[in-house]
Amino acid sequence: MSNRIIKLSRNTENAPITAESTQSVAFSHYNNISAQLPIEPKTGKLISNEVKEQALQCLKNIESIVKSIDHVKEDIIKITVFVKNIEDINAIDSIYADFFQNEFPTRTVVAVADLPMDNALVQMDVLISNGEGTYPQAPCALLKMARNTNNAPTNEMSTQTVAFSHYNNISAQLPIDPVTNQLITGDVTEQTTQCLKNIKAILESIDVPFDDIVKVNIFHKNASDIDAINKAYTTFFPDSAIARTHAYVPARTTVIAADLPMGALVQIDVVVSHGDGTPPQAIEDRHGIVIKANNTNNAPLSLLSTQTVAFSHYNHISAQLPINPQSNKVEVNTIAEQTEQCLNNIKAIVESINHDMDDIVKVNIQLKNISDIAAVNEIYTTFFNSDLPARTVIGVSDISMNALIQIDAVVSNAEGTPPQQ
């Protein structure tokens, strides 16, 4: 890849350090922070068994990392909160609201089957703005643009859309009627449709077309609902004549959640390209920077997602199952073999766009058995030669095709996408 822009990986002793990830990995105008457990950094142990104290420790660890790179918590663009018990979210929010006060990022909340540390009740990861860019970019005083519309559900704990530089992150949308602010009645197909309608309303409020979405994350409660979800999903993508001509669909990850807020069956968040950038960047033709989508036959293909979708200086990789791309089947059984196959698929995608594994800035891993993490790590670290990416690991109750593991990634893209240089 081009070395015009350099990935910057950093750790601080004021937050927990692990051998399998880097706390903070910056590239261009964004910085990816590894998921933080409620670990006291000096002892390396869980802070307590009480969820409020655990939530506060997660946020303190995040703040320590952010401060260590000369940023402030107001630079946080997006936060994902993983909980063991969805009913804990009210207790967590009492801490969360005090921490963020009036500067709420976009947010996704999901209950998961397990977390990487015994007795951990909560885990959080964040994405932060990085106005100074990474070497040799010159620092620039870009503004964060946080916006809400009444045409989609509002939440006092999150902002619907937060843009920075050439990306825009949308808070997870539940199947809520924005007029009543209540969950709609209906099956999972109708709930999926409502989630996507809410996302569309948010995008329309900031004059962004639906096909500017580059990554979609779908959280659903029942594995058997995926066909019904896809039925609704395909009525929204592709959205425009240009997208239909190119059969464009975003990169995608699906997660089977243990539970979702309000008892919903499905929840969706998205990442959006933002061609005009944020002030004081000059407003350009929205198509002046183009989305670059790519597939390779060396990794599994899907009609529902594009393997890799690049925009500006980032590239989003669809979640990879341990599928043999030639047979399109899961042909290996052990967690070590399945981990290797997932990572080989990611490697094939990354290499197909003339990048390498060390260009990855963030990795997200789903495991059916959280106890498999040690075996995963033995394989995982062999795929990288330099500083490891930021990372988030969660335990889930099920994974598509009865797989034991699924992995997605975000890749640095120093060359940018045309016509950006």
Side-chain angles (χ1 to χ4, degrees):
M1 67 166 278
S2 165
N3 286 322
R4 286 192 295 265
I5 303 173
I6 308 299
K7 184 175 78 170
L8 181 58
S9 305
R10 289 171 286 188
N11 286 313
T12 173
E13 292 182 354
N14 295 324
I17 295 174
T18 74
E20 292 78 35
S21 66
T22 305
Q23 291 168 351
S24 160
V25 182
F27 186 80
S28 189
H29 290 135
Y30 278 93
N31 201 319
N32 298 266
I33 310 296
S34 286
Q36 294 301 301
L37 286 159
I39 296 171
E40 207 287 318
K42 288 188 173 62
T43 65
K45 295 180 180 179
L46 205 67
I47 191 70
S48 81
N49 291 321
E50 203 276 321
V51 70
K52 283 188 178 182
E53 292 182 21
Q54 289 198 13
L56 181 58
Q57 187 63 51
C58 291
L59 290 166
K60 282 181 176 178
N61 290 342
I62 288 167
E63 188 172 30
S64 292
I65 295 167
V66 170
K67 283 183 176 178
S68 75
I69 55 175
D70 298 322
H71 278 257
V72 293
K73 62 186 177 183
E74 288 77 18
D75 292 336
I76 295 173
I77 299 290
K78 177 180 182 179
I79 187 164
T80 305
V81 181
F82 300 100
V83 294
K84 288 281 293 290
N85 186 342
I86 201 68
E87 293 179 0
D88 282 342
I89 195 60
N90 288 335
I92 291 168
D93 279 350
S94 66
I95 301 297
Y96 188 89
D98 186 58
F99 183 84
F100 283 107
Q101 298 181 355
N102 294 319
E103 290 280 345
F104 290 105
T106 64
R107 188 171 83 157
T108 296
V109 175
V110 58
V112 295
D114 217 340
L115 291 170
M117 191 172 196
D118 288 344
N119 300 317
L121 301 173
V122 60
Q123 175 179 254
M124 303 180 193
D125 70 18
V126 302
L127 177 71
I128 73 169
S129 58
N130 193 49
E132 66 271 26
T134 50
Y135 183 84
Q137 288 176 320
C140 47
L142 300 179
L143 301 180
K144 184 174 74 171
M145 293 179 66
R147 290 171 285 187
N148 286 311
T149 173
N150 290 328
N151 295 327
T154 56
N155 186 312
E156 60 184 10
M157 294 294 162
S158 66
T159 304
Q160 289 169 351
T161 167
V162 180
F164 187 79
S165 187
H166 288 130
Y167 274 94
N168 202 323
N169 291 270
I170 310 297
S171 281
Q173 293 301 300
L174 288 159
I176 295 172
D177 181 330
V179 176
T180 65
N181 215 37
Q182 298 296 314
L183 205 69
I184 66 163
T185 57
D187 61 16
V188 72
T189 301
E190 293 167 301
Q191 289 200 11
T192 303
T193 298
Q194 186 64 51
C195 292
L196 292 166
K197 281 182 177 179
N198 291 342
I199 290 168
K200 194 163 192 175
I202 294 168
L203 296 185
E204 288 175 347
S205 75
I206 56 174
D207 194 28
V208 172
F210 205 68
D211 282 321
D212 278 3
I213 294 172
V214 295
K215 176 70 193 297
V216 174
N217 297 304
I218 300 175
F219 304 89
H220 59 108
K221 278 177 69 171
N222 303 309
S224 59
D225 282 343
I226 191 61
D227 288 341
I229 290 168
N230 288 339
K231 179 181 177 183
Y233 187 83
T234 53
T235 67
F236 283 80
F237 297 101
D239 184 60
S240 65
I242 293 174
R244 285 190 290 274
T245 298
H246 296 281
Y248 173 71
V249 285
R252 191 174 89 153
T253 295
T254 61
V255 180
I256 298 172
D259 211 345
L260 293 169
M262 300 180 72
L265 298 174
V266 62
Q267 174 180 255
I268 303 174
D269 71 24
V270 301
V271 182
V272 183
S273 60
H274 190 60
D276 42 341
T278 52
Q281 287 175 323
I283 295 175
E284 350 172 19
D285 180 339
R286 183 163 279 116
H287 299 288
I289 303 175
V290 300
I291 291 172
K292 192 170 183 181
N294 188 71
N295 285 312
T296 173
N297 290 327
N298 294 326
L301 297 165
S302 170
L303 294 175
L304 296 167
S305 64
T306 303
Q307 291 169 352
T308 169
V309 180
F311 183 80
S312 186
H313 290 310
Y314 275 92
N315 205 318
H316 297 263
I317 309 294
S318 286
Q320 295 300 302
L321 289 161
I323 295 172
N324 181 316
Q326 279 71 50
S327 67
N328 212 36
K329 296 178 181 178
V330 176
E331 295 182 342
V332 290
N333 297 317
T334 70
I335 185 62
E337 292 170 319
Q338 290 200 12
T339 301
E340 187 170 20
Q341 184 65 65
C342 290
L343 290 166
N344 276 330
N345 290 342
I346 289 172
K347 186 177 182 181
I349 294 167
V350 168
E351 290 179 347
S352 75
I353 53 172
N354 299 317
H355 281 256
D356 60 52
M357 292 292 281
D358 287 317
D359 292 337
I360 293 176
V361 295
K362 177 72 192 295
V363 170
N364 299 298
I365 300 176
Q366 299 173 43
L367 288 174
K368 253 181 109 170
N369 302 303
I370 205 72
S371 59
D372 283 339
I373 189 62
V376 170
N377 287 339
E378 287 187 13
I379 302 298
Y380 179 83
T381 53
T382 66
F383 276 78
F384 301 94
N385 295 313
S386 63
D387 293 328
L388 291 168
R391 191 173 82 160
T392 295
V393 179
I394 58 171
V396 293
S397 60
D398 204 357
I399 298 175
S400 181
M401 299 181 74
N402 293 315
L404 300 175
I405 185 169
Q406 179 174 252
I407 305 175
D408 70 24
V410 182
V411 183
S412 59
N413 192 48
E415 65 272 26
T417 50
Q420 180 169 313
Q421 297 299 320

